[in-house]
Amino acid sequence: MVSGTDGRGAEAGAYIAIDWGTTNRRAYLVAADGSAIDTMRDDRGVLAVAAGDYPAELAAIRARYGDLPVIAAGMVGSTRGWREAPYVPAPADAASLAAALLVIPEERCAIVPGLSLLAGPRADVMRGEEVQVLGAVAAGLAPADALFCQPGTHNKWVRTEGGRITGFATAMTGELFALVRDHGILAGMLDGPVADGEAFRAGVRRGAGAADLPVALFEVRAAVLLGRLAARDAAAHASGLLIGADVGAQALGGETVQLLADGTLAALYTAAIETLGGAARRIDSHAAFLAGIHQLQELRS
């Protein structure tokens, strides 16, 4: 699937920016002032591209947007992508990332490195999310000192101080829900809709701070079998359990979360954050990415 916006020509384009993920990618034709002239999205993520095919992929994008330099972020710089861009250790800011760009001269392409974290016994990594976070701060979409949440298959919680990313944590919330929905004892019971409502919020409250999350998940089956939970609400409740455990681990205490999300996930995380005593402020993730990637492009120029 390929989608575009207004289809204006490439004559005003200064460079091409690509948010190249695991399953999808989004390419932007960017003007000199950082605004998007056009954008396209397709399913040519790194899992769909062989290691030797990246030059041809860039050629196809340039055929649409013009023979322009490229800057790419995300899983394209991972061990599963094109070429590995070594992680920059946190704390880090845009200047740290720009100084460590992996430049491929023959393709006129730069790949943004991800971030790594070693904090006591914890180890964590990210690729791509850091561009959105730093971009949101640079564009004034979020304060310099903030807690960000980026829901997805692997949800990211990111802390910034003075505009630098000082810490982050990855939660496999979306992946765990997919696993319990499609495999094991709950398979076939979680086919109902997942939406905000009492079943979801009850799950959020049960999951928050639960030291017995595996027990809570089995309770979904028992509650349906014993008539305590309607079968149509089982998926929403199970989702609430996992998102509640995820959000509850942050101990928000009334803090405002900068939520880089839209659609269903934004609604679910907003509900969970508010249920557990926080406040959610939604930010346009595409605008944040553009601001972040433009900042990096400017720093390398």
Side-chain angles (χ1 to χ4, degrees):
M1 178 188 124
V2 177
S3 60
T5 54
D6 58 19
R8 280 182 277 168
E11 65 277 359
Y15 63 94
I16 297 165
I18 306 176
D19 186 358
W20 212 319
T22 302
T23 56
N24 299 297
R25 72 178 174 190
R26 186 182 294 270
Y28 301 84
L29 175 63
V30 186
D33 65 358
S35 61
I37 298 169
D38 190 45
T39 181
M40 57 166 276
R41 181 181 182 274
D42 60 25
D43 59 1
R44 298 292 292 167
V46 299
L47 294 183
V49 180
D53 291 345
Y54 283 91
E57 295 290 330
L58 291 187
I61 294 173
R62 283 179 169 133
R64 172 176 177 141
Y65 286 150
D67 188 21
L68 297 169
V70 173
I71 183 168
M75 291 300 287
V76 66
S78 72
T79 55
R80 304 186 73 170
W82 185 8
R83 296 190 190 177
E84 185 178 5
Y87 293 110
V88 171
D93 56 15
S96 308
L97 292 175
L101 287 169
L102 175 64
V103 178
I104 305 173
E106 65 273 20
E107 296 297 337
R108 293 160 56 228
C109 178
I111 298 177
V112 180
L115 293 185
S116 62
L117 179 73
L118 288 172
R122 288 196 61 242
D124 211 332
V125 293
M126 69 162 69
R127 285 195 187 273
E129 295 91 353
E130 71 286 344
V131 177
Q132 291 184 6
V133 169
L134 294 173
V137 174
L141 302 173
D145 299 331
L147 175 64
F148 291 81
C149 178
Q150 295 162 289
T153 303
H154 299 148
N155 181 41
K156 299 287 186 184
W157 294 91
V158 183
R159 175 72 65 180
T160 60
E161 298 176 18
R164 305 174 75 212
I165 293 176
T166 55
F168 58 92
T170 306
M172 294 173 57
T173 313
E175 183 171 354
L176 286 173
F177 179 73
L179 288 170
V180 298
R181 180 192 61 203
D182 298 333
H183 304 282
I185 194 66
L186 296 182
M189 298 188 77
L190 305 182
D191 296 332
V194 176
D196 183 22
E198 182 48 39
F200 174 78
R201 295 196 181 211
V204 167
R205 291 188 291 269
R206 174 69 175 90
D212 61 344
L213 184 60
V215 172
L217 284 169
F218 188 82
E219 287 173 0
V220 176
R221 173 176 170 79
V224 171
L225 293 177
L226 298 176
R228 176 169 286 183
L229 178 67
R232 66 180 178 277
D233 291 333
H237 188 76
S239 176
L241 287 171
L242 292 169
I243 292 177
D246 184 1
V247 174
Q250 302 305 309
L252 295 175
E255 185 169 11
T256 297
V257 177
Q258 311 298 317
L259 192 60
L260 283 158
D262 54 22
T264 300
L265 278 178
L268 293 176
Y269 270 83
T270 295
I273 289 166
E274 292 175 350
T275 296
L276 298 181
R281 182 172 175 270
R282 296 192 196 184
I283 299 172
D284 184 332
S285 59
H286 302 302
F289 175 82
L290 269 174
I293 208 74
H294 188 64
Q295 184 181 33
L296 294 173
Q297 178 70 9
E298 291 283 284
L299 286 168
R300 70 177 286 230
S301 300

